[in-house]
Amino acid sequence: MEEKKLDLNSIIGFVLIFGILIWIMYNNKPSEATIAAEKAKKELVAKEAQRKAVAVKPLAIPTVAVAGDSTQLVQLQKTLGGFAYSATLPSAKEGFTTIENEKVILKIANKGGYIVNATLKNQEKFEKGSGQLVELIKDNNANLNIQLKTSDNRTLNTKVLYFEPTLTKVESDQILSMKLKAGANEFLEYKYILKPNDYMVGFDLRSQGLNKVLNTAKPLDLEWNLKTYRNEKSISYEDRYTDIRYEYEDGKNNSTSVSSKDTEDTPIKVSYIAFKQHFFTSILLTDKPFETSKLHSTKLVNDETIDTVFTKQLKANVPLAFSNGEIDYKMNWYFGPSDYKTLKHYDKNLEKIIPLGWGIFGWINMFIFIPLFGFLSTTIGLSLGIAIIIFTILIKIAMSPITFKSFLSQAKMKVLRPEITELGDKFKKDPMKKQQETMKLYNKAGVNPMAGCIPALIQLPFMYASFQFFPSAFELRQKSFLWADDLSSFDAIAKLPFHIPLYGNHISLFPILAAIAIFFYMKMTSGDQQMAAPQQEGMPDMAKMMKIMIYVSPVMMLIFFNSYGAGLSLYNFISNLITIGIMIVIKRYFIDSDKIHAQIQENKLKEPKKQGKFQQKLQQVMEQAEAEKAKKAKK
């Protein structure tokens, strides 16, 4: 049979696509004017952040005020018991203390003693140049509360009680002590320790002299809630990657997520709990693992055209065990990027909150994709768009031997197709006999019908790993390339006046290019696949299915990738483009149908090769089926 060849339209298409690629690489270098504009924007944002930040002012240790009104003290004791003392101090009012370094600004309230504002410096919301810094905590979207069971059968909540603040500085570390007092030397203390240039905050939680004030028979309940603000352009995309993650004490298990609507879980011996958003995260770590923990996640985005402020309501409840009648926990808070390298730096398995995939998919990302992409973007210093293109080229070149084997197998099967068709006509009324003779033909010719499938299966883990890698790559956030102003979000080139279900209210260009590339790729390969795999009795018509998939796959690409990150769509576009190029080179210069045919005929003259285990098992199954059929025929 005559092999299909490319028509003029296909050739023109390839020339245009390659032309686009060359144009992309040539025009990616920013002009001096663009660099100057970007620098001016950064300076403007930095000045604005500096203006908004509240200066850190040392607080003098306040003198404890003795209550002058004994009647007022008696009234306070009726509701607060031993902790009435805290309400008599000068700090028992709405006040705040701010601590900050080069990375974060933290605002801690007297009432409740917890962080009421956590702002990340140099990280902007929604898009670059927005002038709005990322605030993980603000406007009462979060609280930290410990339920205190007193010895006189009261239940008090720390979030409504007043703490006494004391701010000191030890070398370059800022130390803020927040004490909820039951007496001059009896208190529950939250101690915040902020080091320079760090997202991690020390958090010591301890009690002193409260063994007679509190009921120590049962652990205290610590409740931590966070209603996550939207920080990215695509609320649906951000919502998809927002969940609760945690790590077991032994560190052997990967982080597990709690992400479904109204989902609860009760993991034990947990060393950290992370309220992870797409590109930012809030983490509570403990040196003394929590014995149990209740985790709760509620989805808040039910209609992305209306629900545009918050993504999820996240809650955690953990017990704080007493030791010798007191509470003593060494903990940490982390407020910062969900960045693999940043989190790995702390050597606490925090990088496991990044969803890189399980098993082999995660290994590919950790040991191949992340180091290679980091080398291209950081070590060499390529722009992120060019780094994605080079990264894709290197991955496809590394996979080209597997691609070659797949195409070679298809070529061999295509050469054998006339003989397979002949066997089909000869044993038309006996499908089992036809299968047996077909297997014998494969064995004589030295052709493995599974050889074309195995290379494709080997490539699948790399494809899936890319679907995990690019949405999790923090370094892509707000990095521009050509028309895409943010490679971590969609690259809209047009805004629609209406919302299309599953598609959105915008048109992204990179998914369109990726869809065109996959259309040409499937158009070119579908003919060979149909020729290589003749229809089997009782099996679906693969030729018809392939014709349908030629059009279905690009449409799916357009629909589902329209709101995905531009970096992933760029990767898929370049990947399919390179595969087309490799396929053309292999077909024209490495695969000769006449030589393959001659080799197969030569193999037939030799003694048949010993069947592999799979072929032997398949042969046995067919012989057993044939025997059963013969028995039924006699009856």
Side-chain angles (χ1 to χ4, degrees):
M1 287 191 179
E2 186 180 347
E3 185 180 346
K4 286 191 176 183
K5 296 183 179 178
L6 294 175
D7 58 18
L8 182 60
N9 291 334
S10 298
I11 294 171
I12 293 172
F14 294 137
V15 171
L16 288 174
I17 293 172
F18 278 114
I20 291 172
L21 179 58
I22 293 169
W23 180 82
I24 286 172
M25 298 181 68
Y26 180 80
N27 287 277
N28 186 61
K29 185 177 179 181
S31 65
E32 292 183 3
T34 304
I35 294 171
E38 289 294 333
K39 184 177 179 181
K41 281 184 180 179
K42 286 182 180 179
E43 291 175 353
L44 183 62
V45 172
K47 287 179 181 179
E48 182 67 14
Q50 190 174 5
R51 185 185 66 80
K52 289 182 178 180
V54 180
V56 178
K57 296 180 179 179
L59 296 177
I61 300 176
T63 304
V64 176
V66 179
D69 190 342
S70 59
T71 305
Q72 181 187 11
L73 182 61
V74 170
Q75 290 297 321
L76 289 170
Q77 287 175 337
K78 287 181 180 180
T79 55
L80 301 179
F83 289 100
Y85 182 87
S86 65
T88 67
L89 302 176
S91 56
K93 59 184 178 181
E94 297 290 341
F96 306 93
T97 305
T98 301
I99 57 178
E100 67 175 291
N101 60 15
E102 297 82 357
K103 301 284 189 183
V104 297
I105 304 171
L106 302 176
K107 188 177 180 182
I108 298 92
N110 289 1
K111 187 176 183 180
Y114 59 87
I115 298 170
V116 293
N117 186 280
T119 302
L120 304 185
K121 295 183 175 181
N122 305 317
Q123 302 292 345
E124 295 180 88
K125 294 178 67 173
F126 307 131
E127 60 186 3
K128 194 171 185 177
S130 69
Q132 303 178 62
L133 294 178
V134 170
E135 295 175 284
L136 298 180
I137 301 175
K138 70 169 183 175
D139 299 336
N140 299 314
N141 73 316
N143 68 66
L144 181 76
N145 179 60
I146 297 177
Q147 199 172 74
L148 304 174
K149 304 283 188 180
T150 65
S151 55
D152 56 356
N153 295 322
R154 301 175 191 273
T155 299
L156 302 175
N157 292 299
T158 60
K159 65 181 179 181
V160 296
L161 301 178
Y162 289 99
F163 287 65
E164 180 187 63
T166 304
L167 180 62
T168 58
K169 195 169 184 179
V170 178
E171 294 181 350
S172 56
D173 297 347
Q174 299 169 67
I175 302 174
L176 175 63
S177 171
M178 304 293 293
K179 291 180 179 178
L180 173 62
K181 291 191 169 182
N185 295 305
E186 300 167 347
F187 54 81
L188 176 70
E189 180 185 34
Y190 298 166
K191 184 185 287 184
Y192 299 92
I193 305 165
L194 183 62
K195 297 179 181 296
N197 202 36
D198 200 348
Y199 291 110
M200 190 73 75
V201 184
F203 181 60
D204 295 348
L205 196 162
R206 71 184 186 97
S207 65
Q208 179 177 301
L210 297 183
N211 54 336
K212 292 182 180 179
V213 178
L214 298 175
N215 180 359
T216 60
K218 293 182 179 180
L220 300 180
D221 287 330
L222 183 148
E223 303 165 351
W224 175 34
N225 301 330
L226 179 66
K227 195 174 180 181
T228 56
Y229 274 104
R230 169 194 173 194
N231 291 306
E232 311 303 327
K233 282 199 304 183
S234 174
I235 190 167
S236 61
Y237 202 44
E238 185 172 5
D239 176 61
R240 187 181 298 121
Y241 291 99
T242 299
D243 56 22
I244 302 176
R245 293 183 170 258
Y246 56 88
E247 177 73 13
Y248 290 112
E249 174 191 17
D250 55 17
K252 294 179 182 178
N253 297 300
N254 288 334
S255 294
T256 307
S257 67
V258 178
S259 55
S260 301
K261 184 178 181 181
D262 296 329
T263 300
E264 289 196 43
D265 203 355
T266 311
I268 60 173
K269 296 287 185 182
V270 172
S271 60
Y272 68 72
I273 297 171
F275 289 171
K276 180 191 172 297
Q277 297 171 244
H278 188 185
F279 285 123
F280 300 97
T281 190
S282 307
I283 309 175
L284 177 61
L285 305 92
T286 175
D287 288 348
K288 186 192 300 182
F290 302 125
E291 287 296 325
T292 61
S293 53
K294 283 188 177 181
L295 308 176
H296 187 84
S297 173
T298 304
K299 183 181 176 66
L300 301 179
V301 182
N302 298 310
D303 184 346
E304 61 183 82
T305 61
I306 301 172
D307 306 321
T308 59
V309 179
F310 300 100
T311 54
K312 283 188 173 72
Q313 175 71 61
L314 307 175
K315 300 179 181 180
N317 188 297
V318 296
L320 300 176
F322 284 95
S323 177
N324 298 321
E326 301 290 354
I327 294 292
D328 189 10
Y329 278 79
K330 299 287 185 183
M331 298 194 284
N332 291 91
W333 290 108
Y334 173 88
F335 299 102
S338 302
D339 176 42
Y340 184 87
K341 292 177 183 177
T342 302
L343 294 171
K344 190 174 178 60
H345 166 75
Y346 293 105
D347 196 26
K348 294 179 180 291
N349 288 333
L350 299 182
E351 70 276 7
K352 290 185 178 180
I353 72 169
I354 308 297
L356 297 177
W358 54 271
I360 189 172
F361 311 116
W363 300 338
I364 290 171
N365 277 321
M366 286 187 289
F367 302 117
I368 299 176
F369 282 10
I370 290 176
L372 178 59
F373 194 74
F375 173 76
L376 294 172
S377 60
T378 304
T379 306
I380 296 181
L382 296 176
S383 70
L384 273 298
I386 295 297
I388 291 175
I389 293 173
I390 302 300
F391 171 85
T392 311
I393 292 172
L394 294 176
I395 294 295
K396 297 306 291 185
I397 289 175
M399 300 294 290
S400 59
I402 296 174
T403 306
F404 175 76
K405 287 187 177 181
S406 180
F407 289 153
L408 181 60
S409 176
Q410 288 181 16
K412 288 180 178 180
M413 293 291 290
K414 187 169 69 172
V415 170
L416 281 179
R417 181 181 173 91
E419 295 181 54
I420 295 172
T421 303
E422 186 179 334
L423 289 174
D425 295 336
K426 184 177 180 181
F427 300 103
K428 191 173 185 179
K429 296 182 180 180
D430 192 347
M432 189 62 65
K433 185 67 174 176
K434 185 187 77 171
Q435 289 285 0
Q436 291 175 338
E437 293 300 320
T438 301
M439 292 301 294
K440 287 179 182 178
L441 175 63
Y442 288 151
N443 192 35
K444 285 182 180 180
V447 174
N448 184 355
M450 299 298 294
C453 300
I454 295 173
L457 290 175
I458 293 174
Q459 295 183 73
L460 281 178
F462 286 84
M463 182 182 71
Y464 180 77
S466 70
F467 279 83
Q468 298 293 108
F469 170 72
F470 285 101
S472 301
F474 179 82
E475 52 265 55
L476 296 181
R477 185 176 188 267
Q478 295 183 357
K479 297 298 189 298
S480 61
F481 182 64
L482 298 175
W483 57 85
D485 56 8
D486 186 348
L487 286 168
S488 71
S489 189
F490 55 80
D491 57 312
I493 56 169
K495 191 83 172 176
L496 299 176
F498 47 84
H499 186 274
I500 303 174
L502 299 177
Y503 187 76
N505 61 351
H506 62 273
I507 298 174
S508 299
L509 183 53
F510 276 128
I512 294 175
L513 295 175
I516 293 171
I518 199 171
F519 172 79
F520 276 105
Y521 167 70
M522 296 192 72
K523 191 77 172 174
M524 291 175 66
T525 58
S526 62
D528 286 346
Q529 290 172 350
Q530 292 168 28
M531 290 290 290
Q535 184 180 0
Q536 301 294 327
E537 190 73 27
M539 298 295 288
D541 190 340
M542 295 303 295
K544 289 183 179 179
M545 290 182 65
M546 286 304 302
K547 285 180 180 178
I548 294 172
M549 289 304 296
I550 288 173
Y551 300 98
V552 170
S553 294
V555 171
M556 290 177 64
M557 176 74 72
L558 284 174
I559 293 174
F560 294 108
F561 278 67
N562 191 60
S563 293
Y564 270 62
L568 180 59
S569 297
L570 173 60
Y571 171 82
N572 279 284
F573 167 55
I574 300 298
S575 178
N576 284 311
L577 206 62
I578 294 170
T579 303
I580 290 172
I582 290 174
M583 184 174 65
I584 292 173
V585 170
I586 289 174
K587 281 187 173 183
R588 290 188 177 179
Y589 301 104
F590 293 94
I591 293 180
D592 188 326
S593 297
D594 294 334
K595 288 184 179 180
I596 291 173
H597 183 269
Q599 183 64 50
I600 288 175
Q601 298 308 316
E602 185 180 334
N603 289 342
K604 287 181 184 179
L605 300 175
K606 299 177 182 178
E607 289 187 12
K609 291 183 179 180
K610 185 178 179 180
Q611 289 183 330
K613 290 183 179 181
F614 175 79
Q615 290 174 313
Q616 290 175 2
K617 191 68 178 176
L618 187 61
Q619 186 72 22
Q620 289 175 5
V621 170
M622 289 191 292
E623 287 174 356
Q624 288 173 4
E626 189 69 23
E628 288 293 328
K629 184 179 178 181
K631 285 182 182 179
K632 289 180 181 179
K634 288 180 180 179
K635 292 179 181 180

